[in-house]
Amino acid sequence: MHLYENQQIKIYNSLSGEKEVFQPITKGYVGMYVCGPTVYSNVHLGNVRTFMSFDMIFRYLKHLGYKVRYVRNITDAGHLENDADLGEDKITKKARVEEIEPMEVVQRYTVDFHNVLRTLNFLSPSIEPTATGHIIEQIELIQTIIDNGFAYVVNGSVYFDVHKYNESNEYGILSKRKLEDLIHNTRTLDGQSDKKNPQDFALWKKAEPTHIMRWPSPWSDGFPGWHLECTAMSTKYLGEFFDIHGGGMDLKFPHHECEIAQNQAAKGKTPVKYWMHANMLELNGARMSKSTGNYINPAELFSGENDKMSKGFTPGVIRFFMMQASYRSILDLTNDGLLAAEKGFNRLMEALGNLENLRTSESSSFDVSEWKQKCYDAMNDDFNTPILIAHLFEAVKYINQVNDNKASITEKDLELLKSTLNTFTFDILGLVNSQASDAGTDKLNAAVELLIKLRKEARINKDFALSDQIRDELAQAGITLKDGRDGTTFSVK
């Protein structure tokens, strides 16, 4: 029997504006798509927060026993900035500035993206498709939309006809925007003459002679529209109607709105049952922006090499800080907030360490089973991690009382407390015990220093065979020794 049969989740569905009981399309299976990064620069910390929210959701669904197919794409086909109709795409722009190939830009920042997420203990998605790997699917999708009468070709570019679509569908169903209001608020811009209406959006753009990233199509050598990529990749791997589509709040309009329109126009059905949107991450009470200087990237946050924070913070602390807020709440990243999170994180880790030394009694002064269900209830209420963390600290308080002989716990309850705390702390919230890893590093350093000392003694005694054996076997284990004027140092791969 799977846990999900006893735990009923409610999800806030952006489409209905209400919390709804989660009922997967196919019992026991969940298909989830999350819009991934456009890889033209180091991953934005706000995006990290969004991906962390869905990593936590992925972890919880898996914990409950669902078989989850989690698809998170990489946008490596540079669309125009802000999905405009004129200008240069972000990837090509970066390539020109650095005088390298666009795919070198893509490779560099895809690696950075993966490294940051790995450092913060993310699980890998089930599938990570790239936009450039699905050009054929996108061309086929465009042709279907044209055949169904919802798109038109002008001078080698293809545009989605929003007004035609709105005659039989509702453009704005997700963002709650009315087409009439969009028309009223749209300025007529030079260069939009190819479109029938300013609200129409590109499905395929004919490439200008200077545009590097281009592919052949029935309409022109060009490149796909930004919105189209996600429709093609999500439906390819999850089907024409799937369970969850997630992303940042900033993608609700126009990106997700256009995804709905494209799928409806091509397949005649809405693509997603539950739309989920993670809220913004601010820095010191204001929007993060490179142009204003109110910005910090993940590496600077880890190292402390920045002018925004008083020190560096471990991945475990950063993750704990982000989990202290609901994924639907705006979260303000501040030095004081991180310092407070560090204290809380350390208290939690210390309590987990004390679990091993608790003395058991014949009775418990705390209902562990009831507390365990409260932890599930928090997660079942739209993945309410701040309430879950509050419950975890109820257990911390209880552990400290038992440790001080001011409360009691039975052996059975202790085992239940251990397993539940470890499950919610590490498996579901995805926290990393940096104290344990630091202790492990200290032990490794001590062991290698001892071997360096033994190797030095062997060389003094002219036992070069033993000296070489220590060096070579350490190298096989990924530890390189370097002899210098001031002694021997080592590095770990």
Side-chain angles (χ1 to χ4, degrees):
M1 188 173 181
H2 295 290
L3 280 171
Y4 63 74
E5 294 182 30
N6 293 324
Q7 305 294 338
Q8 186 183 78
I9 304 176
K10 284 190 172 182
I11 290 177
Y12 182 86
N13 190 347
S14 299
L15 194 61
S16 66
E18 295 177 353
K19 286 183 187 177
E20 299 177 10
V21 173
F22 179 59
Q23 294 179 316
I25 296 161
T26 304
K27 185 179 178 183
Y29 292 80
V30 177
M32 181 168 76
Y33 185 89
V34 173
C35 296
T38 302
V39 281
Y40 69 97
S41 65
N42 297 109
V43 61
H44 191 286
L45 203 55
N47 289 347
V48 169
R49 188 211 175 182
T50 293
F51 302 136
M52 188 181 290
S53 296
F54 288 100
D55 179 67
M56 171 271 295
I57 290 165
F58 179 39
R59 286 169 173 273
Y60 188 59
L61 293 172
K62 281 166 63 79
H63 168 72
L64 292 183
Y66 287 110
K67 186 169 184 180
V68 186
R69 178 178 288 176
Y70 174 23
V71 183
R72 187 188 65 215
N73 74 297
I74 295 284
T75 294
D76 60 346
H79 54 80
L80 300 187
E81 291 197 61
N82 303 317
D83 198 36
D85 292 297
L86 295 171
E88 193 168 26
D89 78 66
K90 295 174 180 179
I91 292 171
T92 300
K93 191 174 181 179
K94 190 79 168 185
R96 289 193 194 284
V97 169
E98 300 197 10
E99 298 182 334
I100 57 177
E101 281 288 324
M103 293 315 284
E104 286 184 74
V105 174
V106 165
Q107 177 68 12
R108 177 184 300 173
Y109 295 113
T110 300
V111 168
D112 168 72
F113 174 66
H114 288 148
N115 285 343
V116 169
L117 266 55
R118 193 179 302 114
T119 301
L120 287 163
N121 198 32
F122 280 63
L123 299 179
S124 296
S126 316
I127 303 173
E128 192 173 50
T130 63
T132 56
H134 295 78
I135 299 294
I136 292 171
E137 289 87 348
Q138 292 174 74
I139 289 171
E140 289 174 347
L141 184 62
I142 294 168
Q143 189 60 59
T144 301
I145 295 172
I146 292 171
D147 293 344
N148 289 348
F150 293 107
Y152 55 93
V153 184
V154 182
N155 297 329
S157 293
V158 184
Y159 295 99
F160 189 93
D161 192 334
V162 171
H163 289 247
K164 178 69 183 297
Y165 171 81
N166 208 52
E167 290 172 8
S168 52
N169 299 278
E170 186 183 346
Y171 184 75
I173 191 171
L174 178 66
S175 59
K176 311 297 184 280
R177 302 187 187 204
K178 297 293 182 187
L179 185 56
E180 298 76 30
D181 296 334
L182 295 173
I183 294 168
H184 180 71
N185 292 325
T186 302
R187 293 178 297 159
T188 302
L189 300 173
D190 292 338
Q192 289 190 326
S193 55
D194 281 354
K195 293 182 181 183
K196 289 181 182 178
N197 297 285
Q199 295 78 34
D200 296 349
F201 56 89
L203 299 175
W204 186 266
K205 286 290 291 180
K206 181 181 180 180
E208 298 296 324
T210 55
H211 200 97
I212 303 171
M213 300 183 86
R214 57 172 69 214
W215 293 266
S217 79
W219 315 288
S220 65
D221 274 11
F223 51 96
W226 173 37
H227 312 307
L228 192 78
E229 300 167 9
C230 289
T231 296
M233 290 184 280
S234 62
T235 56
K236 178 180 174 73
Y237 296 110
L238 299 174
E240 293 176 5
F241 184 51
F242 56 93
D243 298 295
I244 297 171
H245 193 315
M249 197 78 79
D250 55 323
L251 297 181
K252 188 185 290 187
F253 185 88
H255 187 52
H256 292 161
E257 198 71 72
C258 293
E259 281 192 61
I260 292 174
Q262 288 165 166
N263 210 75
Q264 196 80 37
K267 314 291 185 183
K269 61 175 75 172
T270 187
V272 178
K273 192 171 183 182
Y274 305 95
W275 284 92
M276 299 181 70
H277 291 94
N279 217 322
M280 301 292 102
L281 181 69
E282 293 183 342
L283 179 59
N284 294 323
R287 183 174 176 270
M288 271 202 216
S289 169
K290 285 185 179 178
S291 60
T292 63
N294 194 48
Y295 185 81
I296 185 170
N297 71 31
E300 293 169 337
L301 196 54
F302 297 144
S303 68
E305 294 173 5
N306 63 82
D307 59 359
K308 303 289 187 297
M309 304 297 164
S310 60
K311 53 176 287 208
F313 294 92
T314 66
V317 169
I318 293 166
R319 189 160 180 130
F320 180 74
F321 171 79
M322 291 190 178
M323 290 289 109
Q324 283 181 308
S326 163
Y327 76 92
R328 289 198 292 122
S329 301
I330 292 174
L331 177 60
D332 189 14
L333 184 71
T334 65
N335 188 64
D336 287 349
L338 283 166
L339 289 172
E342 186 174 56
K343 286 181 181 175
F345 176 82
N346 289 339
R347 275 182 61 215
L348 178 59
M349 294 303 136
E350 186 181 345
L352 282 161
N354 287 340
L355 274 171
E356 298 303 320
N357 305 316
L358 292 187
R359 292 167 60 185
T360 57
S361 305
E362 292 182 3
S363 64
S364 292
S365 51
F366 182 77
D367 193 329
V368 178
S369 295
E370 182 183 324
W371 165 82
K372 177 182 176 180
Q373 187 54 49
K374 282 163 67 177
C375 292
Y376 278 106
D377 290 345
M379 288 300 293
N380 293 341
D381 182 17
D382 195 33
F383 311 101
N384 198 328
T385 54
I387 297 298
L388 168 64
I389 289 171
H391 292 321
L392 296 184
F393 276 97
E394 287 177 32
V396 168
K397 183 180 178 183
Y398 176 48
I399 291 165
N400 292 338
Q401 287 174 339
V402 175
N403 199 39
D404 295 338
N405 296 318
K406 294 177 181 176
S408 60
I409 189 168
T410 65
E411 191 169 335
K412 183 181 176 184
D413 277 352
L414 178 58
E415 289 307 309
L416 183 60
L417 187 65
K418 273 186 194 176
S419 63
T420 306
L421 264 176
N422 280 299
T423 293
F424 281 97
T425 302
F426 300 117
D427 297 347
I428 294 169
L429 292 179
L431 301 183
V432 186
N433 188 351
S434 55
Q435 292 176 336
S437 60
D438 288 346
T441 302
D442 290 343
K443 288 174 184 175
L444 172 66
N445 291 346
V448 175
E449 291 294 347
L450 175 61
L451 288 168
I452 288 172
K453 185 179 177 183
L454 292 173
R455 177 171 174 262
K456 183 180 178 181
E457 289 175 0
R459 293 170 79 180
I460 290 169
N461 295 328
K462 300 193 183 317
D463 189 350
F464 298 114
L466 177 58
S467 168
D468 291 347
Q469 182 185 0
I470 291 171
R471 180 198 63 205
D472 294 343
E473 291 195 13
L474 282 173
Q476 286 179 2
I479 299 167
T480 304
L481 299 185
K482 185 177 181 181
D483 296 317
R485 188 184 303 172
D486 299 324
T488 302
T489 58
F490 72 95
S491 59
V492 182
K493 286 182 184 175

